[in-house]
Amino acid sequence: MIIGYARTSTADQSAGMEAQQRDLEGAGAERIFAEQISSVANRPALEQALDFIRDGDTIIVTKLDRLARSIRDLMEIVERIQTKGAKLRILGMDLDTGSATGKLMLGILGSVAEFEREIMLERQREGIAKAKAEGKYKGRAPTAQKKAESVLRLLKEGLTEVEVAEQLDISRSSVQRIKRQNKPETV
């Protein structure tokens, strides 16, 4: 059986998700696991796909970066796939781990992709440092702080930190930070 996996980082990338699904179907995917989530988060659809595959199956993705976040992550995923007797195909690279050459190329290309990502992150850090030095860097907008009034009100109503965090769609640590920043008599 051919199983497809598609991922975009955000819901705003619906065109990218549609294109991936179209390409996977065109490559013969009989079942597609898809999710819109950052690669650094837990990826439940990927886990489901890896649990679903059986001996002789092939899991396909459109591009390497849709599957793995680092060479280590890639090798762990490939190991899980191979342990089940399945193989991996990456359409954009015309790569198939069913052959020794395919496995070698995957390792090399995975290393190059990770190197490129590290270079990009290094440039990003340099750009941020330069902007800070010039007084132009403002940083990320404090989204949880905008909800401080609601946090304090809900805590006063007797909700727990976890309940407040879930209700306002912020982290528990943000709730705790807002609590700390305000006088004890207001909480």
Side-chain angles (χ1 to χ4, degrees), residues 80-93:
R80 286 180 66 184
I81 292 169
Q82 290 175 342
T83 299
K84 289 195 160 199
K87 60 183 180 175
L88 170 67
R89 269 184 59 212
I90 302 168
L91 300 177
M93 302 172 140

Side-chain angles (χ1 to χ4, degrees), residues 73-87:
D73 186 38
L74 174 64
M75 291 306 149
E76 288 172 3
I77 291 169
V78 169
E79 177 66 27
R80 286 180 66 184
I81 292 169
Q82 290 175 342
T83 299
K84 289 195 160 199
K87 60 183 180 175

Side-chain angles (χ1 to χ4, degrees), residues 101-113:
T101 304
K103 289 176 191 171
L104 172 66
M105 291 304 297
L106 182 63
I108 292 169
L109 293 172
S111 296
V112 170

